């Protein structure tokens, strides 16, 4: 079949714009990678460069000064990301489904109940007291998973995705005698894969990038997730550069600038492979027929 | 206001960067009010490990307890080993074990605040004037130790000078055990001594010679930016020290005493003639390119500029300068550095307040008595002190036995594997037990001699201020300072005279007069109490 | 009440399904909301939350009396509107291109690459900005020099910073937002497109009459969701790019940075909570109003 002229115009425009945007997004990352291999003094003197004059692995040596600890941190992060995302996705999609049902009388009130939490919060201190004193989760893996299990944003997005599934499907399933949970499990879940993939990706990213809860709740070194471990290394490097370095002198002064970049590479590396995996679920035209047949 | 950006938590490592300035900047303000205090930790007590209390009224330790302690910063990679060793000793001597926790430097202010506010069961925590000791104490976060100390920490009670106990007293109560380690951390600058000689520039002794040095370097090496990076601290502390303007209390902001000798003459410095002259002068400095027009956004330390050969001046206190000079000796042996302490502008120095570092017990503590007993041991028993401060003997360090120096790491240990044991142990410092590392910068000892000889008690740091009644004005004034004051002082405005007028007008509107009145009131009250005219 | 009971019985399975989430929010979000009371107290450790002295609206004074509340509010709202509108439009355009153009490998690579900025921390973004715009060895000024043009001192002028900030905000969120629209496009049934093709519609017509109308609910939803946070700035973005540089505050100061600097001198939990409360109420009022209007016109687009 011959491509229409309008389609050709469209495609050319699409390639051009997307290429331009990709370059804008890629370039800084290349700078980070090259920066992480550059000598500290070179960065300080000349700023960022695409190709370093003085190639060095010092920043990575500082990051991996204790390889056992980094590996353990990867493990913790992967574990938390997996558990949090799976359980969270289950709850989020179930809630999203219920809220999308037109015959669920209190859907608007309950949507508001959930959305309201994005507007108001009691602040850090009561939240911290709740988790540490009342739930007694200090230094427990649960403190990294539980507080971020479901979020209002994701629920509402999920509800929106599910809303695009034609109501007639639910109706006919009900006539066939299927219960609400069965409809959710057998029909809604398979039909909303792009939505699930999107929300799942968001959750995984949030867990992967979270260093703040570990900073507040985790006290044992062997429970540190990756992001927090790296933040800690960066923070110590920054402290060593300051006036109190007279008090806190270490034999090896880590290169503070390039360390930031090496840390970014170490963190981003593995999670970037998650994305192509998620892309597999972005297949157009998962139609009703495919499910029924 | 110099400390403005420094007190609250930032995000992530930014907080740590801020912290750095806090530590550095505040240490200077918190000076001990009495020179006599600094000389008094008497050597006689040093080796004495037996408790002063007699066997009969020895506290009951039949119940085994586990204590929860918190220090700032991060653990060393061998901390677990060291603490295990410590717990063995503690179990035997005091039937106690301690779980030692660290806040980590990441966002530590937020965490410190949370730990105290949430009422977690903590038996001992680091406390310091630069970590808002007075504010927390005044608001009731810590336990009053006055009645417990003589019984449960008798040796500490006897060896800490009375002056130091006065430092940490709030009202009639004592809320912390201060460290006993008189220290001087005035401001000063590190500069390129080799360039100064090579270019035949005058020796640095005062503001004019500093200007001549900066100018000479800039003219001879146009590519060099003399203060290369964020130049605020270099400029600001030069300003205060040059005119002998003394900041008051922890966060005294724009309100200063006009000189050491006239402590009751308190002004808002932006309204002085000195300030007007200064900003005009700084305008010429900025024009001459002593720093770049980006300086307020630059995140780079001016010391990094020196390292790369593109800078000439770096603001440091003497200990920080020592560390920096030592570092550069290793990485850039061809660079010769000099150090000029700002104390030489007016030829006197003031030691730090004792609560620059200390240990306190939060209200929520489950076992304050036992915790104090552990601290007493830790401070005074060299076995405990060395272990927790310098690590394991024969591994992390060797004691040279001269009562002064240690070698790091111990003989026969690979320095690449065994790194210096350096946790934030500052809270239990006790001078007779302190050892310095062999081979440090020799300038530091000489400087300390110089400071001791010209030491004057600090009468400004202990003034208690919580700004409660003027908190609206404090925040408003700080905003104006950052938006109008900083660019003006860095000479970045096009017309200093006009900008100064705007600055003053905005300050008035923000309520600087109420703030001034408040600081004046607090200072007078303190000076009256101490009988200083 | 009878209606509630009847509903509970009738839809008991659905209530069971939603119960864990409701409990979660009650515990982790609603319980800590007692902390809002901090905004009205003069906090002390002795008293704690409820024992501290009640001081009414005093903690709000620092916002009002500074005289800059209006300009801060305006700045914050305008910045957020720019982020929300421009960001969503660009994400929408990218998603449509990604869905329609051929070339599997190209599409997959582009999508992944667009996600990279999301991983770059704001600390590094700040470093990039400084490296691009500073007057000594900044990339832009070096380029200008090489072209024989006079340099431009970005840090002495406030005007370019609005654009720089908006650019980096959109740049960072592009990949993230695009996915949402892409997923929404993927949920559109193929039969619509087939029918349009048979009717002889070209690609622009198909996008205009099918894709865009089908994406409007998502678009409206995302805008509505963001409106609630209209007074909450992206603190990191502004702080890492502008920092404490007072020279640039005039056009770049938002409520979050202002509050941060205010409390940096003298941290006060009451004042911090008070500022947050102002932001929340503003957002709530806005969302309720806009949602009400939408509900009157197109009920199914409304948030609740």
């Amino acid at each position: 079949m011959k491509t229409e002229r309008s389609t050709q115009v469209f495609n050319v425009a699409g390639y051009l714009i997307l290429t331009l945007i990709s370059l804008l997004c890629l370039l800084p990352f290349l700078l980070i990678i090259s920066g992480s291999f550059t000598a500290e003094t070179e960065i300080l003197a000349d700023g960022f460069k695409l190709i370093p004059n003085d190639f060095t692995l010092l920043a990575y040596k500082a990051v991996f000064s204790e390889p056992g600890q980094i590996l353990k941190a990867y493990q913790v992060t992967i574990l938390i990301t997996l558990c949090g995302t799976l359980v969270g996705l289950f709850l989020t999609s179930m809630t999203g489904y219920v809220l999308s049902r037109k015959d669920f009388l209190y859907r608007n009130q309950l949507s508001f109940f959930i959305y309201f939490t994005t507007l108001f919060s009691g602040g850090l201190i009561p939240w911290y007291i709740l988790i540490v004193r009342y739930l007694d989760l200090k230094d427990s893996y649960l403190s990294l998973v539980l507080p971020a299990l479901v979020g209002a944003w994701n629920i509402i997005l999920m509800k929106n995705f599910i809303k695009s599934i034609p109501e007639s499907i639910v109706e006919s399933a009900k006539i066939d005698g299927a219960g609400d949970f069965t409809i959710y499990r057998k029909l809604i879940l398979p039909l909303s894969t792009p939505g699930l993939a999107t929300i799942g990706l968001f959750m995984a990213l949030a867990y992967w990038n979270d260093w703040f809860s570990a900073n507040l709740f985790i006290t044992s070194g062997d429970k540190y997730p990756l992001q927090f471990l790296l933040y800690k290394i960066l923070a110590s490097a920054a402290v060593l550069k300051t006036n109190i370095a007279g008090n806190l002198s270490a034999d090896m002064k880590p290169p503070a600038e390039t360390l930031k970049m090496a840390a970014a590479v170490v963190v981003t590396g593995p999670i970037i492979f998650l994305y192509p995996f998620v892309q597999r679920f972005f297949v157009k035209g998962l139609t009703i027929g495919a499910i029924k047949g | 206001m110099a400390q403005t950006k420094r007190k609250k938590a930032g995000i992530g490592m930014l907080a740590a960067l801020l912290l750095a300035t806090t530590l550095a900047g505040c240490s200077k303000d918190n000076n001990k009010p009495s020179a006599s205090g600094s000389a008094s930790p008497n050597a006689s007590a040093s080796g004495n490990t037996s408790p002063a209390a007699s066997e009969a009224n020895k506290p009951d330790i039949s119940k085994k307890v586990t204590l929860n302690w918190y220090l700032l910063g991060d653990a060393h990679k061998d901390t677990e080993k060291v603490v295990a060793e410590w717990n063995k000793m503690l179990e035997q001597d005091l039937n106690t074990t301690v779980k030692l926790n660290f806040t980590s430097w990441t966002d530590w202010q937020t965490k410190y605040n949370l730990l105290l506010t949430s009422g977690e069961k903590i038996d001992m925590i680091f406390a310091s004037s630069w970590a808002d000791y007075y504010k927390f104490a005044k608001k009731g976060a810590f336990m009053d130790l006055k009645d417990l100390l003589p019984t449960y920490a008798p040796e500490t009670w006897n060896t800490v000078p009375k002056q130091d106990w006065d430092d940490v007293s709030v009202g009639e109560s004592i809320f912390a055990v201060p460290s006993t380690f008189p220290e001087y951390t005035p401001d000063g600058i590190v500069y390129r001594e080799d360039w100064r000689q090579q270019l035949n520039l005058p020796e640095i002794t005062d503001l004019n010679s500093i200007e001549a040095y900066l100018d000479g370097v800039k003219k001879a090496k146009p590519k060099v930016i003399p203060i290369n990076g964020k130049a605020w601290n270099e400029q600001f502390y030069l300003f205060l020290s040059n005119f002998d303007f003394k900041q008051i209390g922890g966060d005294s902001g724009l309100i200063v005493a006009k000189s050491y000798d006239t402590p009751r003459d308190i002004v808002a410095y932006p309204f002085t003639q000195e300030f007007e002259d200064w900003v005009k002068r700084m305008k010429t400095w900025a024009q001459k390119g002593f720093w770049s027009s980006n300086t307020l956004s630059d995140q780079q330390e001016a010391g990094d500029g020196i390292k790369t050969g593109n800078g000439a001046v770096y603001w440091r206190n003497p200990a920080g300068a020592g560390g920096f000079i030592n570092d550069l000796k290793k990485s850039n042996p061809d660079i010769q550095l000099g150090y000029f302490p700002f104390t030489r502008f007016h030829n006197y120095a003031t030691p730090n307040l004792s609560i620059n570092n200390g240990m306190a017990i939060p209200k929520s503590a489950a076992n304050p008595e036992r915790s104090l007993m552990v601290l007493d041991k830790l401070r005074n028993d060299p076995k405990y002190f060395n272990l927790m401060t310098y690590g394991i003997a024969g591994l992390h360090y060797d004691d040279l036995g001269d009562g002064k120096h240690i070698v790091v790491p111990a003989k026969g240990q690979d320095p690449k594997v065994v790194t210096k044991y350096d946790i934030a142990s500052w809270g239990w410092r006790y001078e007779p037990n302190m050892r310095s590392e062999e081979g440090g910068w020799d300038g530091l000892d000489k400087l300390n001699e110089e400071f001791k000889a010209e030491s004057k008690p600090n009468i400004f740091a202990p003034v208690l201020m919580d700004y409660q009644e003027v908190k609206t004005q404090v925040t408003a004034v700080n905003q104006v300072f950052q938006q109008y004051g900083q660019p003006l002082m860095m000479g970045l405005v096009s017309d200093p005279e006009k900008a100064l007028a705007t600055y003053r007008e905005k300050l008035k509107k923000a309520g600087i007069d109420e703030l001034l009145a408040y600081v004046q009131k607090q200072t007078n009250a303190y000076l009256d109490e101490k009988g200083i005219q | 009440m009878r209606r509630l009971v009847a509903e509970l019985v009738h839809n008991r399975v659905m209530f069971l399904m939603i119960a864990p989430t409701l409990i979660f929010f009650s515990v982790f979000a609603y319980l800590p909301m007692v902390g809002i009371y901090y905004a009205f107290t003069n906090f002390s450790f002795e008293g704690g939350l409820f024992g501290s002295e009640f001081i009414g609206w005093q903690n709000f004074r620092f916002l009002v009396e500074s005289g800059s509340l209006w300009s801060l509010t305006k700045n914050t709202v305008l910045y957020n509107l720019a982020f929300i509108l421009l960001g969503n439009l660009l994400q929408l355009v990218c998603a449509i291109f990604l869905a329609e153009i051929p070339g599997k490998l190209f599409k997959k690579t582009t999508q992944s690459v667009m996600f990279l900025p999301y991983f770059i921390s704001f600390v590094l973004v700040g470093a990039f900005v400084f490296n691009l715009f500073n007057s000594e060895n900044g990339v832009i000024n070096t380029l200008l020099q090489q072209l024989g043009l006079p340099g431009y001192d970005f840090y002495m002028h406030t005007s370019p910073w609005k654009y720089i900030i908006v650019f980096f905000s959109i740049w960072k969120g592009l990949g993230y937002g695009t996915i949402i629209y892409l997923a929404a496009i993927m949920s559109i049934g193929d039969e619509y497109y087939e029918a349009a093709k048979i009717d002889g519609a070209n690609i622009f017509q198909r996008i205009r009459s099918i894709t865009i109308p089908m994406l409007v609910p998502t678009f409206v939803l995302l805008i509505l969701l963001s409106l609630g946070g209209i007074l909450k700035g992206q603190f990191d973005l502004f702080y890492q790019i502008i920092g404490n540089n007072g020279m640039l505050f005039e056009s770049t100061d938002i409520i979050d940075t202002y509050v941060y600097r205010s409390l940096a001198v003298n941290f006060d939990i009451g004042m911090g909570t008070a500022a947050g409360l102002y932001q929340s109420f503003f957002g709530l009022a806005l969302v309720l109003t806009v949602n009400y209007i939408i509900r009157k016109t197109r009920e199914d687009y409304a948030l609740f």
Side-chain angles (χ1 to χ4, degrees):
Chain A
M1 199 176 79
K2 198 174 133 273
T3 350
E4 288 173 48
R5 179 142 180 81
S6 59
T7 312
Q8 286 171 351
V9 173
F10 178 86
N11 287 348
V12 170
Y15 276 111
L16 275 179
I17 292 176
L18 290 180
T19 309
L20 183 75
I21 289 177
S22 302
L23 281 181
L24 280 178
C25 294
L26 187 64
L27 198 67
F29 210 77
L30 291 180
L31 285 173
I32 288 180
I33 295 177
S34 85
S36 67
F37 290 108
T38 311
E40 175 92 352
T41 45
E42 196 181 331
I43 296 255
L44 291 177
D46 309 336
F48 293 85
K49 278 188 215 166
L50 263 184
I51 297 150
N53 293 338
D54 196 353
F55 182 89
T56 166
L57 288 173
L58 220 61
Y60 287 94
K61 277 192 188 139
V63 171
F64 289 104
S65 59
E66 282 162 76
Q69 210 185 3
I70 286 268
L71 279 181
K72 177 77 203 184
Y74 265 120
Q75 271 174 25
V76 172
T77 297
I78 291 171
L79 181 84
I80 285 164
T81 306
L82 272 179
C83 293
T85 308
L86 285 178
V87 179
L89 199 54
F90 174 64
L91 293 176
T92 303
S93 57
M94 207 156 59
T95 312
Y97 165 63
V98 172
L99 293 179
S100 75
R101 282 275 296 265
K102 288 247 164 73
D103 57 335
F104 187 68
L105 212 54
Y106 293 101
R107 64 183 187 285
N108 280 338
Q109 286 88 330
L110 289 177
S111 295
F112 184 74
F113 177 83
I114 290 171
Y115 177 69
F116 188 76
T117 61
T118 65
L119 294 174
F120 285 86
S121 88
L124 190 60
I125 292 177
W127 185 71
Y128 180 86
I129 294 177
L130 169 80
I131 291 169
V132 171
R133 286 243 305 264
Y134 294 96
L135 301 176
D136 199 20
L137 295 181
K138 184 126 192 176
D139 205 25
S140 137
Y141 286 129
L142 269 184
S143 69
L144 301 179
V145 176
L146 214 48
L149 203 53
V150 282
W153 253 84
N154 288 338
I155 290 177
I156 291 166
L157 269 184
M158 198 69 221
K159 167 184 147 191
N160 180 61
F161 283 129
I162 294 174
K163 243 171 45 183
S164 69
I165 298 170
E167 268 169 85
S168 55
I169 302 177
V170 177
E171 291 302 322
S172 61
K174 271 177 102 173
I175 291 164
D176 290 351
D180 292 318
F181 189 73
T182 318
I183 296 176
Y184 158 75
R185 199 168 54 91
K186 290 258 171 77
L187 284 174
I188 301 297
L189 278 187
L191 280 174
S192 45
T193 14
L196 285 173
T198 308
I199 304 290
L201 177 72
F202 290 173
M203 288 182 164
L205 289 177
Y207 276 115
W208 186 273
N209 283 332
D210 175 36
W211 58 272
F212 192 69
S213 20
N215 185 33
L216 294 183
F217 302 124
I218 300 297
T219 51
S220 330
D222 59 343
K223 288 182 188 161
Y224 287 156
L226 184 65
Q227 284 276 15
F228 179 59
L229 186 67
L230 291 171
Y231 262 95
K232 225 171 59 83
I233 296 174
L234 291 181
S236 313
V239 166
L240 283 176
K241 282 182 90 170
T242 60
N243 231 341
I244 55 155
N247 281 331
L248 255 191
S249 63
D251 288 327
M252 195 200 49
K253 300 237 157 138
E257 289 302 310
T258 58
L259 196 61
K260 279 182 215 160
M261 298 182 226
V265 173
V266 169
V267 160
T268 317
I271 194 82
I272 213 83
F273 291 110
L274 183 69
Y275 196 73
F277 176 76
V278 170
Q279 278 177 324
R280 297 206 329 217
F281 297 102
F282 288 117
V283 187
K284 199 167 170 173
L286 265 176
T287 49
I288 305 109
I291 301 289
K292 281 197 167 164
Chain B
M1 208 74 25
Q3 281 91 349
T4 50
K5 53 184 184 288
R6 311 178 173 162
K7 276 282 147 99
K8 217 207 90 184
I11 308 298
M13 58 162 310
L14 183 89
L17 281 167
L18 294 181
L19 140 86
T21 12
T22 316
L23 300 183
C26 295
S27 49
K28 147 201 65 348
D29 283 325
N30 307 318
N31 296 312
K32 197 181 299 179
S34 153
S36 65
S38 63
S40 53
N42 31 29
S44 63
S46 66
N48 182 3
T49 57
S50 63
S54 70
E55 291 294 314
N57 52 17
K58 222 176 163 182
D60 173 31
I61 54 166
S62 56
K63 199 176 135 240
K64 183 173 188 300
V65 297
T66 300
L67 303 171
N68 206 18
W69 281 34
Y70 263 92
L71 293 181
L72 293 191
D74 292 303
H76 182 266
K77 69 175 161 58
D78 293 330
T79 294
E80 227 168 291
K81 250 192 269 175
V82 172
V83 171
E85 197 70 24
W86 187 41
N87 275 330
K88 259 187 250 161
M89 291 153 65
L90 281 173
E91 211 165 343
Q92 208 175 28
D93 294 344
L94 297 172
N95 200 19
T96 305
T97 53
V98 174
K99 182 172 189 312
L100 191 64
N101 302 294
F102 291 85
T103 63
S104 101
W105 289 122
T106 320
D107 216 1
W108 68 271
Q109 289 101 327
T110 308
K111 238 152 79 184
Y112 190 76
N113 205 358
L114 276 178
L115 287 171
L116 291 175
T117 314
S118 69
E120 258 180 278
K121 297 252 174 292
I122 297 170
D123 298 290
M124 182 78 68
I125 193 164
F126 178 82
S128 157
S129 45
W130 48 261
D132 282 337
Y133 164 73
Y134 288 111
K135 199 173 114 188
F136 283 121
K138 234 182 142 174
K139 289 208 162 194
F142 300 128
M143 192 178 277
D144 182 4
L145 305 177
K146 196 160 197 171
D147 299 330
L148 298 175
L149 282 164
T151 320
Y152 298 100
E155 213 173 329
T156 305
W157 179 242
N158 292 327
T159 50
V160 172
K162 172 158 187 320
Q163 182 61 55
D164 290 7
W165 288 125
D166 287 350
D167 278 1
V168 293
S169 299
V170 174
E172 287 299 300
S173 306
I174 291 175
F175 290 111
V177 178
S179 63
T180 309
F181 181 60
E183 210 182 3
Y184 295 86
T185 51
D187 297 292
I189 48 171
V190 175
Y191 61 92
R192 292 283 303 250
E193 176 66 15
D194 48 352
W195 284 356
R196 189 190 68 75
Q197 287 176 2
Q198 182 195 324
L199 299 171
N200 242 335
L201 299 169
E203 194 141 342
I204 291 182
T205 52
D206 58 7
L207 187 63
N208 288 330
S209 57
I210 291 176
E211 186 170 12
Y213 165 75
L214 291 167
D215 202 33
V217 168
K218 186 70 198 173
K219 283 208 176 100
K221 303 172 191 289
K223 291 214 85 169
V224 169
I225 300 169
I227 309 178
N228 194 350
K230 36 183 178 189
W232 170 256
N233 287 326
E234 280 79 356
Q235 179 272 136
F236 182 68
Y237 290 110
L238 191 57
F239 165 71
L240 288 184
S241 308
N242 180 54
F243 295 113
D244 198 26
F245 285 166
K246 307 301 290 182
Q247 290 189 303
I248 302 160
D251 283 299
S252 50
L254 303 184
I255 314 291
V256 294
K258 275 203 89 171
S259 86
Y260 184 89
D261 301 320
T262 56
R264 284 170 198 264
D265 185 7
I266 289 171
V267 292
Y269 70 71
F271 294 89
T272 59
Q273 182 60 41
E274 286 93 334
F275 184 73
E276 194 173 337
D277 299 341
W278 181 261
V279 296
K280 283 181 190 156
R281 191 161 183 174
M282 287 306 108
K283 173 78 188 163
T284 67
W285 284 28
Q287 267 168 343
K288 285 180 188 160
F290 291 177
W291 51 75
S292 85
S293 55
N294 318 316
T295 185
L296 285 174
S297 278
D298 206 336
Q299 289 304 314
Q300 196 171 308
E301 295 270 318
D304 290 334
I306 297 187
K307 257 183 220 167
T308 56
N310 295 320
V313 162
Y314 188 24
W315 165 77
R316 293 282 83 176
N317 65 32
F324 183 72
I325 292 172
N326 276 338
D327 250 19
L328 240 69
K329 257 188 207 157
K330 281 181 222 157
S331 62
N332 306 54
D334 45 319
I335 294 180
Q336 289 277 320
L337 294 173
Y339 182 70
F340 176 74
F342 290 165
T343 49
R344 292 191 194 149
F345 282 123
H346 296 275
N347 298 317
Y348 72 94
T350 44
N352 284 341
L353 214 60
S354 62
I355 189 59
N356 203 31
N357 297 297
M359 300 298 283
I361 299 183
K363 270 250 164 69
S364 59
N367 291 294
E369 299 86 3
R370 201 70 67 88
S371 206
L372 272 182
M373 291 167 74
V374 173
L375 183 67
D376 204 32
K377 270 267 182 225
L378 179 56
R379 272 177 62 105
N380 301 301
D381 186 334
K383 230 173 65 199
Y384 279 75
F385 183 90
N386 290 344
L387 174 69
M388 289 305 288
T389 313
Y390 305 118
I392 296 166
L395 177 69
H396 297 111
Y397 76 100
D398 272 332
D399 199 336
L400 286 188
D402 61 353
K404 268 191 185 146
H405 292 99
I406 55 169
V407 189
V408 176
K411 257 186 224 100
Q413 301 289 348
D414 181 358
K416 284 205 185 87
V417 181
V418 182
T419 51
K420 181 176 174 184
Y421 191 75
D422 56 357
I423 59 170
S425 58
W426 319 316
W428 57 75
R429 278 176 170 179
Y430 177 53
E431 198 181 27
N433 284 335
M434 297 286 289
R435 303 284 178 268
S436 55
E437 203 180 324
E438 244 212 348
W441 178 49
D442 59 349
L444 195 56
D445 290 340
K446 267 185 256 163
L447 281 173
N448 278 330
E449 289 306 310
E450 180 184 325
F451 299 146
K452 261 183 201 162
E454 59 187 14
S455 189
K456 286 192 198 177
N458 189 301
I459 47 178
F460 298 105
V463 180
L464 277 192
M465 280 188 285
D466 63 3
Y467 298 102
Q468 199 56 48
E469 51 198 91
V470 287
K471 64 182 183 182
T472 307
Q473 288 84 349
V474 171
T475 57
V477 163
N478 179 46
Q479 297 289 350
V480 173
F481 161 72
Q482 291 214 324
Q483 184 162 2
Y484 301 95
Q486 287 197 329
L488 175 63
M489 286 188 87
M490 294 314 294
L492 299 175
V493 296
S494 46
D495 181 352
E497 235 160 293
K498 229 169 74 194
L500 178 64
T502 315
Y503 184 35
R504 286 176 173 171
E505 183 203 314
K506 296 265 178 193
L507 282 174
K508 285 271 183 212
K509 242 172 135 181
I512 188 118
D513 292 329
E514 282 109 307
L515 188 58
L516 177 64
Y518 172 77
V519 175
Q520 181 82 62
K521 187 181 82 185
Q522 297 299 105
T523 312
N524 285 351
Y526 173 79
L527 294 175
D528 290 345
E529 185 195 322
K530 298 282 165 186
I532 303 165
Q533 267 320 300
Chain C
M1 196 58 210
R2 281 209 10 227
R3 213 174 72 133
L4 175 69
V5 175
E7 172 73 7
L8 273 172
V9 174
H10 177 65
N11 278 329
R12 57 189 176 279
V13 178
M14 287 205 269
F15 274 108
L16 270 179
M17 288 168 77
I18 206 176
T21 305
L22 297 183
I23 294 170
F24 173 89
F25 282 112
S26 307
V27 173
F28 283 96
Y30 282 94
L31 259 180
M33 276 188 208
V34 293
I36 290 174
Y37 183 64
Y38 281 128
F40 305 97
T41 63
N42 185 7
F43 181 77
S44 80
F45 289 88
E46 316 237 87
L49 177 56
F50 294 109
S52 297
E53 177 197 5
F54 177 83
I55 54 169
W57 297 98
Q58 253 187 56
N59 285 324
F60 292 82
R61 276 178 50 201
F62 84 107
L63 284 171
V64 184
E65 284 180 10
S66 66
S68 36
L69 186 62
W70 163 240
S71 78
L72 286 170
T73 304
K74 191 185 76 186
N75 265 357
T76 315
V77 168
L78 288 180
Y79 269 114
N80 275 326
L81 279 181
F83 297 158
I84 296 169
L85 293 177
L86 290 177
N88 273 291
L89 277 178
L90 197 62
Q91 290 156 10
L92 194 69
V93 169
C94 286
I96 291 176
F97 277 129
L98 281 171
E100 296 290 344
I101 61 168
K104 249 188 158 164
L105 186 68
F106 175 78
K107 287 197 317 197
K108 285 205 162 180
T109 328
T110 321
Q111 265 186 64
S112 306
V113 167
M114 273 165 58
F115 225 98
L116 284 175
Y118 175 80
F119 290 99
I120 299 176
S121 65
F122 276 114
V123 178
L124 280 172
V125 173
F128 277 130
V129 170
F130 189 76
N131 269 283
L132 277 174
F133 298 110
N134 79 67
S135 53
E136 267 74 49
N137 54 12
V139 175
I140 293 186
N141 274 305
T142 316
L143 270 179
L144 286 176
Q145 247 172 35
Q146 280 165 357
L147 294 172
L149 295 167
Y152 183 76
D153 208 336
F154 286 90
Y155 286 91
M156 299 290 275
H157 300 84
T158 55
S159 46
W161 291 94
K162 307 193 243 314
Y163 307 107
I164 295 173
I165 286 175
V166 172
F167 174 85
F168 277 98
S169 165
I170 291 174
W171 169 81
K172 205 159 182 296
L174 185 61
Y176 200 91
T178 303
I179 292 192
I180 301 177
Y181 286 111
L182 200 57
I185 294 177
M186 294 304 159
S187 322
I188 301 173
D190 245 2
E191 57 272 16
Y192 297 105
Y193 290 101
E194 295 306 327
K197 266 187 192 159
I198 292 165
D199 288 349
N202 70 26
I203 190 159
F204 291 103
Q205 288 163 330
R206 290 201 300 272
I207 290 172
R208 207 178 54 217
S209 57
I210 302 169
T211 315
I212 292 184
M214 295 292 264
L215 287 182
V216 167
T218 308
F219 184 77
V220 171
L221 174 84
L222 287 176
I223 303 273
L224 257 179
L225 278 176
S226 321
L227 282 184
I230 194 99
L231 265 199
K232 295 177 185 163
Q234 298 186 45
F235 173 79
D236 281 334
L237 171 76
F238 287 83
Y239 193 77
Q240 295 298 341
I241 290 183
I242 303 299
N244 286 319
N245 192 340
M247 301 280 292
L248 311 177
F249 284 169
E250 215 177 286
S251 64
T252 62
D253 212 11
I254 57 167
I255 293 185
D256 288 87
T257 46
Y258 179 87
V259 170
Y260 172 80
R261 285 200 314 276
S262 298
L263 300 186
V265 223
N266 189 25
F267 181 73
D268 187 291
I269 181 173
M271 287 158 88
T273 316
L277 210 52
Y278 168 66
Q279 292 173 307
S280 296
F281 266 110
F282 196 97
L284 179 70
L286 190 66
V287 168
L288 286 181
T289 315
V290 176
N291 191 65
Y292 178 78
I293 295 169
I294 292 177
R295 169 170 288 284
K296 287 276 151 191
T297 45
R298 287 291 306 266
E299 205 200 326
D300 49 331
Y301 287 2
L303 198 51
F304 33 74

